[in-house]
Amino acid sequence: MESGEAAAADAGGPRFPFPYTPYLIQEQFMVALYGALEAGRVGIFESPTGTGKSLSLICGALAWLRDFERKKQEEEARLLAPEESGQEGKECPASAGAGHAESQGTAGEPDWVTAFVQKKEERDLVDRLKEEQIRRKKREDRLEKIRNNVQLKYAAKRKRAEEDETKRLLQLSKEVLSEGAGDALEQLDHNEEELILAEYESDEEKKVVSGLEEDDDDLEEEHVTKIYYCSRTHSQLSQFVREVQKSPFGKDTRLVSLGSRQNLCVNEEVRRLGALQLINDRCMEMQKNKHEKKSDEENEGKKRRVSRTICPFYSYEQMQFLRDEVLVEVKDIEQLVALGRETKACPYYGSRYAISAAQLVVLPYQMLLHERTRNAAGIKLKDQVVIIDEAHNLIDTITCIHSAEVSGSQLCCAHSQLLQYMERYRKRLKAKNLMYIKQILYLLERFVAMLGGNVNQNPSCQAVSQTGAVLKSINDFLFQSHIDNINLFKVQRYCEKSLISRKLFGFVERYGSPASAVKSNKENQKLSGLQNFLLTLQQGADTEGAPQSPVVETERDQIQAASPLMQIEGFLSALTNTNQDGRVIINRQGTVGQSSLKFLLLNPAVHFAKVVEECRAVIIAGGTMQPVADFREQLLSCAGVDPARVVEFSCGHVIPPENILPIILCSGPSSQQLEFTYLTRNMPQMMDETGRILCNLCNVVPGGVVCFFPSYEYEKQIYAHWEKTGLLTRLAVKKKIFQEPKKANQVEQVLVEYAKCIKRCSQAGGQMTGALLLSVVGGKMSEGINFSDDLGRCVIMVGMPYPNIKSPELQEKMTWLDKTMPRAAGQPPSKVLIENLCMKAVNQSIGRAIRHQKDFASILLLDHRYARPAIFNKLPQWIRERTQVKPAFGAAFAELRKFHRGKLDAL
């Protein structure tokens, strides 16, 4: 089955199937992981990129799951054995207690009562195990049938095609019959009827909706013990699934990939909407239409209603088929979407129905870490295992997921749109809808007032008198904005259930652009206000900011301009989900349109606590987890995790020590001390010294050199200075210079050109030896991009990228930490936070260069402060162990020249 099988250190330990003979550090990683899962721990695991972390996670975790399932089945067989051998075994507990009927049990009960209760519990357990066995057998038989019978697939497809044709003919017949019938109430055309809000029932009045839910029970199964694996991006998840496919577990693991509707929807009409919120709302609306369809058909004789669009892919039978196909063979998101198109079944819902029976569920952060999203997806964490990969930014991620921001432009635009909508359909809306719309309008009015503006005037033309950022607690914000008398929970739920933002988007699509044709003069007068308003907003946006961005970004801006209420719903949701650790930042800038309200979460641990409480074990893994103190104190300790439950594992790198040369450089070629503080880094002599260091390095380092700066502004400033002094021309003799672009859609092009240049230079062998890439810490190139081999033979870090401590968000977080956390080694928690944020960013950036066992690179940290013990100890262990501190440039340069010449000779 596999070419390598790793055993634990002791002969009796677990065995780990592996596609090749694993490195020693991979074996150690798997043993530690297995132990943490078995003991139900919360583990912080660090394994540098290039050490096969993904494969170690897969083989270690799935080996544990395999053994766990085997032990569980053995235990079941033991408990069911007396059952199968007849009644004798059943009577054992009763007969054991028969001779002692008079004696008393421990709780003062007679022994026969205790025995009876015990016997009933045993019987219930046996019955439950029997049910589980029957269910498991049924599932295994079903999946085996699909695995071995290709005909089933074609039969399902053929049946679906026949159903589609029948539906089409039926629809044609209905249209022919109903021709000429009119609508008595008001002459609204077919499409506009869909814009009217349905009668709203709040929770107190809500009735159970019949429909597909009845069938849902057949799709639901008991949740088996499983592993939830989550990572940050769609591409990281797809890469992980490919690793599972290649692993020894690839053939017999029931894996399901989950994603957003944006990634999984196969209905082209819905996909075309582009923005995630629009896709979500349209999908929900189509489901609602499907549920209403039955009651519409029942009432068809009484009252003719407009036909509402339903999704052809939301079919119980086809989703059941897709669910089983997903469980039979490991598929990534792309393969899942292809299968959905082929079988005409919804991959989004089909994959969710597969969760309960799956052994491994692969999903994005948002879906696991956000409780409402988790519940909506049907994810149950009780006694399950969670692995969070690429977790170096986990604290920030949880904070971002639970934060929300709305601009003054969006608030005014939403108010105008909603007002026009209410005027247009006032006669058609029910009283409850009108009440909630008026409440939302009032909220928007008050939010704009908090920014110092008037909701009825163009936000781009309203100047703000007092600029700056102000922080408020949630209660203070509610009282000062005079909205403490409104039940935000009810308003937020109304927005969610009534799909008002979707209806509003449809309304704006229809009447918001000057091109749209409107029927009567009266309506023209009413709606021209909205058109003019949107036009002035667009013009305002064009003059405010930078030149127009590329098409992709313009499209996104249009979607946002057309659906501002969706953003506002996110803000309301954050306000209603919060606790005492939430703040609202009122950010007043230039005009009301540029100003914003932002919800900030100070304590992400409150949301992580549920995960660690419910799960059997949680593993937080990453290539660079240093400094670990943040995870222990800000996340786990605040989430109430017992320190004894936390286990740490950090392994070295697979590369030999001689393949890496990390140097902390304290001064430059002209003996200028290197200290890039906010005060000193702008000095001409400091920028000149940095340039001289780069010129010297480019003379001896082959291939690619990647230089990281603390910010885009500083990189721009130093580039302009070098251009003026002629240093850029000197650098360009040896290396072609590339700059990291600010726009995400241009990064790929720059990287392609950078790689091409390095390849061309290595083949040509002329005076130019490669390329120099000027990058930014925290930018697109400091995370997730590999500078392996010739793409990154030297990584330089200019200064220490401390965050901006003047930012109101960071200041509030620092104040909150100092109030709630104990001092660490005599330092206030706020100071530790700043250092940790800085070193996390450094570690992410310098880890880009070494990507596999035979790779080699030098790392240069330009700032004497890196040599301070508190900072030095926050470097990753595998780099720290090999780092040299060089007070003078001469000795450092000699080391670097020797290192790179030695490597070139060895090639």
Side-chain angles (χ1 to χ4, degrees):
M1 174 179 71
E2 56 279 333
S3 52
E5 180 145 333
D10 57 307
R15 303 196 72 78
F16 304 101
F18 217 74
Y20 52 83
T21 305
Y23 303 129
L24 177 63
I25 58 170
Q26 285 177 313
E27 280 190 39
Q28 291 165 346
F29 185 101
M30 289 187 289
V31 171
L33 176 63
Y34 191 103
L37 298 183
E38 187 65 20
R41 298 295 192 86
V42 175
I44 303 170
F45 278 64
E46 181 180 54
S47 179
T49 311
T51 55
K53 170 171 57 77
S54 295
L55 212 47
S56 302
L57 278 170
I58 290 163
C59 296
L62 289 176
W64 171 81
L65 188 62
R66 174 199 62 190
D67 291 353
F68 176 83
E69 285 175 350
R70 182 177 45 77
K71 285 176 199 165
K72 195 179 171 191
Q73 284 178 23
E74 284 170 3
E75 182 64 13
E76 276 177 23
R78 189 183 66 75
L79 287 165
L80 291 173
E83 188 75 12
E84 286 158 18
S85 62
Q87 292 297 308
E88 320 80 58
K90 265 185 151 183
E91 284 165 11
C92 282
S95 58
H100 307 278
E102 298 303 310
S103 63
Q104 297 289 300
T106 49
E109 298 279 6
D111 276 356
W112 67 269
V113 175
T114 313
F116 177 79
V117 172
Q118 192 183 343
K119 189 177 176 184
K120 188 181 182 313
E121 283 172 0
E122 283 176 9
R123 219 174 21 242
D124 290 348
L125 177 64
V126 165
D127 289 345
R128 201 164 61 246
L129 291 175
K130 272 185 174 174
E131 273 176 40
E132 262 181 49
Q133 250 187 2
I134 291 164
R135 250 199 313 265
R136 190 167 62 236
K137 183 84 174 71
K138 206 170 161 184
R139 183 183 65 231
E140 284 166 2
D141 289 348
R142 193 178 69 235
L143 298 182
E144 196 55 39
K145 209 179 197 177
I146 292 170
R147 204 176 272 119
N148 298 323
N149 190 351
V150 185
Q151 292 305 313
L152 269 177
K153 193 181 284 188
Y154 295 111
K157 278 174 74 181
R158 192 171 61 250
K159 189 175 179 195
R160 183 63 203 264
E162 286 168 8
E163 282 173 6
D164 285 352
E165 184 61 17
T166 310
K167 275 182 195 166
R168 193 179 68 81
L169 292 170
L170 192 64
Q171 187 59 35
L172 280 171
S173 310
K174 279 183 183 174
E175 281 169 15
V176 170
L177 286 170
S178 61
E179 264 178 17
D183 198 326
L185 182 64
E186 186 186 338
Q187 291 298 309
L188 292 181
D189 71 18
H190 172 87
N191 292 329
E192 196 171 0
E193 190 75 42
E194 286 204 351
L195 299 179
I196 308 292
L197 285 158
E199 185 166 4
Y200 179 70
E201 292 172 341
S202 61
D203 282 352
E204 293 83 3
E205 306 158 316
K206 199 163 166 83
K207 297 153 186 89
V208 177
V209 180
S210 62
L212 189 73
E213 278 94 334
E214 291 164 14
D215 302 328
D216 285 355
D217 295 339
D218 301 337
L219 284 167
E220 281 295 335
E221 285 189 50
E222 192 75 19
H223 279 245
V224 301
T225 300
K226 62 177 82 336
I227 294 160
Y228 286 100
Y229 170 90
C230 65
S231 195
R232 281 185 315 147
T233 65
H234 172 65
S235 59
Q236 284 168 342
L237 292 171
S238 288
Q239 197 178 332
F240 179 81
V241 174
R242 285 193 289 275
E243 290 279 354
V244 175
Q245 287 169 330
K246 288 188 286 186
S247 81
F249 294 92
K251 290 278 183 284
D252 52 9
T253 297
R254 297 189 303 277
L255 178 146
V256 57
S257 294
L258 300 180
S260 65
R261 287 181 177 89
Q262 209 169 20
N263 287 323
L264 289 174
C265 180
V266 287
N267 185 330
E268 286 308 318
E269 181 209 321
V270 178
R271 281 174 70 86
R272 272 198 296 270
L273 293 168
L276 177 61
Q277 189 62 51
L278 293 178
I279 291 172
N280 284 345
D281 282 359
R282 185 67 179 132
C283 175
M284 299 293 284
E285 189 178 36
M286 284 176 146
Q287 277 183 67
K288 204 171 172 187
N289 293 343
K290 179 146 189 156
H291 298 321
E292 285 170 2
K293 195 183 171 204
K294 285 189 180 178
S295 54
D296 286 354
E297 284 166 1
E298 285 158 16
N299 302 331
E300 209 168 356
K302 302 171 197 168
K303 175 186 168 188
R304 181 183 169 270
R305 281 188 53 145
V306 67
S307 73
R308 295 179 182 274
T309 316
I310 60 171
C311 183
F313 297 91
Y314 192 65
S315 148
Y316 162 68
E317 254 186 301
Q318 294 307 116
M319 289 194 294
Q320 194 178 30
F321 176 71
L322 184 126
R323 172 200 68 183
D324 292 344
E325 275 288 317
V326 164
L327 293 171
V328 160
E329 189 183 22
V330 172
K331 291 175 178 65
D332 64 17
I333 293 269
E334 286 75 18
Q335 292 165 323
L336 183 58
V337 168
L339 179 68
R341 287 204 175 102
E342 187 190 333
T343 57
K344 289 200 170 177
C346 174
Y348 179 74
Y349 284 102
S351 60
R352 286 176 175 215
Y353 289 129
I355 293 173
S356 52
Q359 294 164 307
L360 181 56
V361 179
V362 177
L363 69 168
Y365 276 175
Q366 166 83 18
M367 211 172 267
L368 185 110
L369 297 171
H370 191 268
E371 191 178 2
R372 270 182 42 211
T373 311
R374 189 164 72 229
N375 293 341
I379 292 163
K380 294 176 182 171
L381 295 181
K382 187 78 181 127
D383 298 329
Q384 307 292 16
V385 168
V386 163
I387 296 174
I388 301 168
D389 201 3
E390 300 299 330
H392 52 275
N393 280 339
L394 182 59
I395 295 170
D396 292 343
T397 302
I398 299 171
T399 304
C400 287
I401 286 172
H402 295 92
S403 296
E405 187 168 17
V406 284
S407 69
S409 281
Q410 287 170 329
L411 292 165
C412 290
C413 187
H415 186 276
S416 175
Q417 289 176 8
L418 201 53
L419 199 58
Q420 303 282 350
Y421 177 88
M422 187 176 76
E423 289 301 318
R424 165 81 179 130
Y425 301 119
R426 186 183 283 276
K427 290 175 187 167
R428 301 286 304 253
L429 294 170
K430 303 289 181 197
K432 196 153 274 189
N433 279 317
L434 281 171
M435 179 194 81
Y436 277 113
I437 288 174
K438 283 176 178 173
Q439 283 193 345
I440 296 167
L441 287 168
Y442 177 71
L443 286 174
L444 296 172
E445 194 182 310
R446 297 313 307 156
F447 288 163
V448 173
M450 287 299 278
L451 293 173
N454 183 330
V455 79
N456 297 312
Q457 292 173 20
N458 190 328
S460 304
C461 305
Q462 293 183 70
V464 173
S465 53
Q466 290 179 311
T467 58
V470 183
L471 272 109
K472 306 244 175 243
S473 71
I474 304 300
N475 280 345
D476 286 351
F477 175 74
L478 297 179
F479 280 111
Q480 286 175 29
S481 52
H482 308 299
I483 58 172
D484 51 303
N485 58 336
I486 288 181
N487 187 329
L488 291 182
F489 290 89
K490 281 191 172 182
V491 173
Q492 195 263 328
R493 185 157 182 79
Y494 170 76
C495 290
E496 195 183 304
K497 294 292 174 191
S498 68
L499 300 173
I500 186 169
S501 55
R502 165 70 210 162
K503 305 282 183 187
L504 196 59
F505 177 72
F507 171 71
V508 174
E509 255 190 330
R510 190 177 178 82
Y511 294 123
S513 65
S516 34
V518 186
K519 293 178 194 169
S520 68
N521 289 332
K522 194 176 175 187
E523 284 170 13
N524 264 322
Q525 286 164 10
K526 270 188 195 176
L527 293 162
S528 61
L530 175 60
Q531 292 168 6
N532 294 335
F533 180 75
L534 288 174
L535 205 62
T536 53
L537 263 188
Q538 189 59 50
Q539 288 161 355
D542 291 351
T543 50
E544 272 170 29
Q548 281 294 297
S549 48
V551 180
V552 182
E553 297 196 9
T554 312
E555 278 174 11
R556 192 191 64 221
D557 293 343
Q558 283 169 356
I559 286 166
Q560 283 181 345
S563 55
L565 192 59
M566 292 174 184
Q567 289 283 105
I568 293 151
E569 279 181 28
F571 182 68
L572 284 176
S573 178
L575 284 180
T576 52
N577 272 343
T578 189
N579 51 75
Q580 70 274 22
D581 300 323
R583 298 286 184 275
V584 175
I585 300 169
I586 302 162
N587 194 9
R588 299 187 183 104
Q589 298 291 328
T591 67
V592 170
Q594 292 168 318
S595 303
S596 66
L597 295 175
K598 182 177 181 179
F599 171 80
L600 173 70
L601 177 74
L602 294 175
N603 182 13
V606 293
H607 294 286
F608 196 60
K610 273 252 173 74
V611 176
V612 285
E613 274 167 29
E614 291 187 2
C615 289
R616 175 200 173 92
V618 176
I619 305 296
I620 303 167
T624 310
M625 298 299 283
Q626 292 293 336
V628 171
D630 275 6
F631 296 104
R632 271 187 174 278
E633 285 145 31
Q634 278 188 56
L635 202 58
L636 303 180
S637 177
C638 285
V641 179
D642 181 352
R645 195 185 166 198
V646 182
V647 61
E648 277 180 43
F649 174 86
S650 179
C651 64
H653 212 294
V654 289
I655 59 156
E658 63 273 12
N659 277 19
I660 180 173
L661 177 64
I663 289 176
I664 294 170
L665 187 60
C666 301
S667 59
S670 63
S671 302
Q672 168 78 47
Q673 189 188 42
L674 300 176
E675 186 175 348
F676 294 84
T677 63
Y678 284 115
L679 295 171
T680 60
R681 71 184 191 183
N682 300 328
M683 289 159 47
Q685 60 264 44
M686 195 60 85
M687 294 192 274
D688 290 339
E689 196 74 335
T690 309
R692 282 192 283 270
I693 293 168
L694 251 69
C695 275
N696 279 293
L697 286 178
C698 289
N699 284 329
V700 295
V701 178
V705 174
V706 184
C707 182
F708 285 104
F709 292 92
S711 66
Y712 282 104
E713 288 67 34
Y714 189 56
E715 187 265 336
K716 203 173 165 186
Q717 187 185 349
I718 210 164
Y719 188 89
H721 180 79
W722 289 346
E723 210 167 24
K724 202 168 70 185
T725 60
L727 199 136
L728 218 53
T729 316
R730 279 164 52 205
L731 271 173
V733 174
K734 283 288 184 184
K735 306 279 182 194
K736 186 172 180 183
I737 299 164
F738 292 87
Q739 285 176 281
E740 177 177 332
K742 253 190 171 178
K743 291 192 178 113
N745 58 354
Q746 295 170 1
V747 170
E748 190 60 36
Q749 186 56 37
V750 171
L751 283 172
V752 167
E753 292 301 321
Y754 172 73
K756 271 187 193 168
C757 173
I758 291 166
K759 194 175 179 185
R760 203 169 46 242
C761 291
S762 71
Q763 288 167 349
Q767 191 181 8
M768 191 177 277
T769 60
L772 169 64
L773 179 60
L774 306 178
S775 302
V776 175
V777 175
K780 311 290 176 298
M781 303 200 180
S782 65
E783 286 192 39
I785 289 170
N786 298 339
F787 294 108
S788 60
D789 301 317
D790 270 354
L791 294 182
R793 289 301 182 204
C794 181
V795 174
I796 301 160
M797 178 64 62
V798 177
M800 298 185 73
Y802 282 110
N804 177 14
I805 54 168
K806 289 182 181 163
S807 113
E809 288 104 316
L810 193 55
Q811 282 190 338
E812 189 67 14
K813 176 94 178 181
M814 288 162 70
T815 308
W816 179 82
L817 280 173
D818 285 343
K819 276 183 194 165
T820 56
M821 305 284 288
R823 290 171 75 88
Q827 284 190 314
S830 54
K831 187 172 189 293
V832 175
L833 170 76
I834 298 300
E835 274 183 6
N836 287 350
L837 287 172
C838 167
M839 290 311 291
K840 263 195 170 67
V842 169
N843 293 343
Q844 272 306 303
S845 303
I846 62 179
R848 301 290 98 209
I850 302 288
R851 309 315 275 177
H852 59 85
Q853 194 182 16
K854 292 184 178 158
D855 208 353
F856 67 88
S858 53
I859 295 168
L860 208 57
L861 303 174
L862 306 187
D863 202 305
H864 75 96
R865 291 174 293 170
Y866 281 110
R868 290 176 184 167
I871 302 291
F872 184 79
N873 289 329
K874 286 173 183 173
L875 286 167
Q877 189 186 341
W878 64 280
I879 291 178
R880 190 170 68 235
E881 286 169 349
R882 303 162 192 190
T883 301
Q884 301 178 25
V885 179
K886 299 286 181 186
F889 180 75
F893 185 69
E895 247 347 294
L896 283 158
R897 187 170 50 193
K898 184 178 148 193
F899 174 81
H900 285 288
R901 281 194 179 159
K903 291 296 164 199
L904 279 177
D905 295 343
L907 287 175

